[in-house]
Amino acid sequence: MQVLDKAVEETAEQMEQVEAPAKGSPVIHYFKSDLRTKDNRGLSQASKLAQENDVPLVGLYIVSPQDWEAHNTAPVRVDLVLRTLSILKEDLAKLNIPLWIETVEDRKKIPRRIMELMDKWKARHLFANLEYEPDELRRETKLVRLCASQGKAMTVVHDTCAVPPGELESGSGKQYSVYTPWFRAWKQHIHDDEDVIGIADNIAKVSDKISGQLPKELFKSLIPQAPKGKRLTDEEKERFRDLWPAGEHQALSRLEQFCETRLSEYADNRDIPSAGATSSLSPYLASGSLSARTVIHTASDRANASNLNGGSNGFRVWVSEVAWRDFYKHVLVGWPYIAMNKPFKADYASIAWATEDSDAKFEAWTQGRTGYPMVDAAMRQLLNEGWVHNRSRMVVASFLSKDLLVDWRRGEQWFMRHLVDGDVASNIGGWGFSASVGVDPQPYFRVFNPYRQSERFDPDGEYIRKWVPELVNIEGNAIHEPYARGAADEARQAGYPEPIVVHKEAREAALTAYKRVLGKE
Ligand code: FAD
């Protein structure tokens, strides 16, 4: 954490040492996961510097196929990012700001390439919002150093969280690893200093005269195709474009619509996957079409809440969910090894995952053919929409790691490869929670019963019927467990598989495996 603070401080010092931009020398904003023009702190600061010095502003985005591969980024997420870039480019062009998009195949060369572009454009000032994944932080450090060694200035800005990592410390001066006390501190911090979630100033339109100083070609870069291995079929493209329309205007209107129609009831309905009661804003927060500050402000405004403890119960609970996103980013900064395939709790690194049939079980899980209707519904929703309801994510993650005793990291990667909102910190956090290997004080012996979860959160089987058509005609309670509740023939005839494990036995096996690494057996 100190390293981060130091980097932010150093870049501010660098900024003071480098002379103001000379006439015609543009200021650059390096876009990453902040693909929006509104409430974007780095972009806003870059715009101010450009305005004060009457120089142009240029947006830069580097497409890195290796980064997408390294992070297991899903094709649906790549597609959303590329579509978002196209809209961002249009929005910026209206303000006379070009967005230069370039593909760099070797990701190690990105910092040098940025320096070359700055030289070509005679730019000396670079702005970027910080990203907190270890690879990205490493790259940022390299960029800061390169800038310093070449008489350029880089300014890195905390923007992606509502409360930046490092701001909150427990009583003993340490980073929190438990959500509840962290959340109290998070709310208090915002309460004490509203500026923490202050909306960044809008960026100003650049005059024709000033933007005219830039080479025309800067306005003409093309949106690249998705790299091989990350391409969607035509049918998928169409489906995902309808489900996830791109850009900040869409994101803002979805936010408004959610606040108007579902926010006040959120607390009551949010756990029911078939209810459509949540915001579905995660893809937009992940790609940065929306900021966490904007969603909090908009929701508190529409809920007439004077502070985060006010407004409707729906509002308060929703903000506590938005806070989970911050929490997991703070955790990632505090314990970066969790992004390197290691569980937060070191003991759990040596769990003896099942070896027998584990590939077949994993395959059945990925395709929604486990014989557990709620699990199968969720896994098919993932394949179909690139998104899954939070309750369903917890159920399938618990099922893979506990019932099937398959290494949770395989599931974590599968999620990243298919989620439109795939986010390193939240995904690892969610898997850590569900597999009991993460920061949360969830005991290893808490194993979700997939049948009970189904009865509780999909009581009428609406969610199951939507995603598992083989069971569409099964009536009543049998929908949750057709082979044991009198609907075996119907299920078999429709081609629905029998359960691949017996929950009770699987639970015992999981408890034994977890206990063993804790020396309790
Ligand atoms: P809403 O309920 O409307 O919540 C609003 C916003 O708050 C969300 O968009 C999201 O940004 C944030 N949020 C809500 N719940 C959580 C949570 N538990 N953890 C972190 N942020 C939260 N979320 C991702 O954004 N990316 C992931 O890759 C991801 N992987 C997950 C994996 C597992 C195993 C689990 C259990 C959860 C995961 N989540 C992930 C968290 C959560 O499931 C999604 O954020 C949520 O379902 C998104 O739907 P929504 O936008 O309708 O959420």
Side-chain angles (χ1 to χ4, degrees):
M1 196 56 245
Q2 279 164 341
V3 180
L4 247 189
D5 288 340
K6 211 160 163 270
V8 174
E9 252 171 53
E10 266 177 31
T11 62
E13 282 165 20
Q14 258 183 41
M15 193 68 187
E16 280 166 18
Q17 284 158 18
V18 176
E19 282 168 25
K23 191 169 175 296
S25 159
V27 173
I28 315 292
H29 178 73
Y30 173 25
F31 284 97
K32 289 174 286 173
S33 298
D34 56 339
L35 303 181
R36 62 182 183 279
T37 60
K38 293 199 168 47
D39 190 20
N40 181 328
R41 287 194 168 161
L43 179 64
S44 178
Q45 290 190 24
S47 165
K48 256 183 217 150
L49 185 70
Q51 287 286 312
E52 281 162 14
N53 293 282
D54 284 338
V55 296
L57 175 60
V58 172
L60 169 67
Y61 185 88
I62 303 286
V63 170
S64 167
Q66 283 187 343
D67 275 347
W68 281 334
E69 204 38 58
H71 289 158
N72 295 311
T73 310
V76 57
R77 177 139 155 65
V78 168
D79 180 63
L80 181 67
V81 166
L82 295 177
R83 286 186 289 123
T84 307
L85 280 171
S86 163
I87 290 165
L88 179 65
K89 191 168 154 51
E90 282 169 25
D91 289 343
L92 288 170
K94 285 181 199 145
L95 301 169
N96 286 338
I97 301 165
L99 175 62
W100 181 257
I101 301 165
E102 183 167 314
T103 301
V104 176
E105 297 293 343
D106 179 351
R107 64 179 178 153
K108 283 201 218 83
K109 294 190 174 150
I110 292 174
R112 291 239 168 248
R113 181 59 189 152
I114 294 177
M115 293 302 105
E116 279 168 21
L117 288 171
M118 287 179 75
D119 287 339
K120 190 169 157 197
W121 300 331
K122 301 192 175 40
R124 311 224 343 240
H125 295 82
L126 178 67
F127 286 76
N129 289 314
L130 266 171
E131 286 189 343
Y132 303 111
E133 292 81 9
D135 283 356
E136 274 63 27
L137 275 179
R138 224 172 280 134
R139 181 176 304 152
E140 237 119 80
T141 313
K142 196 160 177 198
L143 264 175
V144 170
R145 293 211 180 113
L146 274 174
C147 279
S149 68
Q150 299 184 11
K152 301 181 176 92
M154 179 171 186
T155 304
V156 289
V157 181
H158 285 295
D159 172 78
T160 183
C161 294
V163 174
E167 290 289 330
L168 309 177
E169 283 179 349
S170 69
S172 55
K174 292 199 180 119
Q175 153 85 36
Y176 288 98
S177 60
V178 177
Y179 174 80
T180 308
W182 173 91
F183 180 55
R184 267 198 300 274
W186 184 86
K187 272 201 303 189
Q188 191 60 45
H189 190 72
I190 292 173
H191 188 257
D192 291 347
D193 181 3
E194 264 280 318
D195 281 352
V196 177
I197 53 163
I199 301 288
D201 291 336
N202 276 341
I203 54 172
K205 182 169 180 177
V206 178
S207 74
D208 292 343
K209 200 173 127 228
I210 288 173
S211 66
Q213 295 164 358
L214 289 170
K216 292 261 171 314
E217 65 170 46
L218 263 179
F219 285 89
K220 291 186 185 148
S221 70
L222 300 174
I223 310 292
Q225 271 213 342
K228 274 203 183 118
K230 299 285 175 196
R231 288 187 193 153
L232 298 173
T233 62
D234 289 345
E235 182 277 320
E236 286 169 331
K237 265 189 195 160
E238 208 172 306
R239 176 155 39 97
F240 291 133
R241 279 164 199 217
D242 284 348
L243 277 168
W244 308 112
E248 70 182 304
H249 310 287
Q250 283 289 344
L252 285 166
S253 88
R254 281 188 165 215
L255 170 63
E256 286 292 352
Q257 210 198 7
F258 167 71
C259 290
E260 248 172 58
T261 57
R262 284 164 286 158
L263 179 61
S264 58
E265 309 297 322
Y266 179 79
D268 302 329
N269 301 332
R270 71 189 179 102
D271 255 329
I272 309 291
S274 65
T278 67
S279 68
S280 305
L281 287 173
S282 49
Y284 303 101
L285 283 159
S287 59
S289 297
L290 264 185
S291 79
R293 294 178 299 273
T294 294
V295 304
I296 294 172
H297 275 285
T298 309
S300 60
D301 186 57
R302 304 306 177 266
N304 287 322
S306 53
N307 60 44
L308 298 184
N309 292 320
S312 62
N313 192 28
F315 162 72
R316 289 191 299 275
V317 173
W318 194 64
V319 167
S320 74
E321 292 301 316
V322 173
W324 274 102
R325 178 177 172 275
D326 266 23
F327 175 65
Y328 284 137
K329 287 197 191 288
H330 289 204
V331 168
L332 178 63
V333 172
W335 293 276
Y337 62 81
I338 60 171
M340 296 158 198
N341 257 333
K342 295 193 178 121
F344 175 76
K345 294 173 188 155
D347 285 344
Y348 292 130
S350 44
I351 290 175
W353 302 107
T355 45
E356 206 188 312
D357 290 341
S358 68
D359 284 346
K361 285 178 181 160
F362 181 68
E363 172 73 11
W365 178 81
T366 60
Q367 300 307 310
R369 295 200 49 84
T370 65
Y372 282 77
M374 170 96 177
V375 173
D376 294 339
M379 294 309 292
R380 294 184 198 188
Q381 181 182 21
L382 174 62
L383 292 179
N384 202 280
E385 297 197 330
W387 182 92
V388 192
H389 185 276
N390 184 57
R391 171 61 46 185
S392 315
R393 292 188 205 207
M394 291 195 285
V395 170
V396 299
S398 170
F399 187 81
L400 183 76
S401 52
K402 304 272 178 72
D403 283 77
L404 302 184
L405 208 55
V406 169
D407 191 335
W408 61 277
R409 283 164 289 208
R410 293 185 77 179
E412 186 260 315
Q413 281 171 19
W414 181 263
F415 263 35
M416 285 306 273
R417 287 194 173 276
H418 293 85
L419 279 173
V420 65
D421 64 15
D423 172 82
V424 172
S426 293
N427 197 40
I428 290 174
W431 276 90
F433 179 92
S434 307
S436 313
V437 297
V439 277
D440 318 272
Q442 294 299 334
Y444 69 90
F445 48 82
R446 189 208 55 179
V447 179
F448 276 4
N449 179 326
Y451 299 128
R452 297 290 92 76
Q453 290 286 316
S454 181
E455 284 167 329
R456 223 174 126 198
F457 300 109
D458 188 28
D460 302 327
E462 210 180 308
Y463 182 63
I464 294 172
R465 285 193 191 87
K466 172 164 184 189
W467 293 110
V468 187
E470 301 98 294
L471 303 182
V472 78
N473 294 322
I474 294 190
E475 288 174 2
N477 219 9
I479 189 88
H480 305 291
E481 198 180 2
Y483 282 95
R485 299 188 191 181
D489 289 347
E490 275 170 278
R492 197 169 293 115
Q493 267 166 23
Y496 186 66
E498 291 191 38
I500 55 171
V501 287
V502 176
H503 172 66
K504 221 167 150 221
E505 293 167 8
R507 182 178 183 277
E508 288 311 312
L511 293 185
T512 306
Y514 275 70
K515 266 191 223 160
R516 203 165 281 149
V517 295
L518 296 176
K520 295 190 177 180
E521 257 238 340

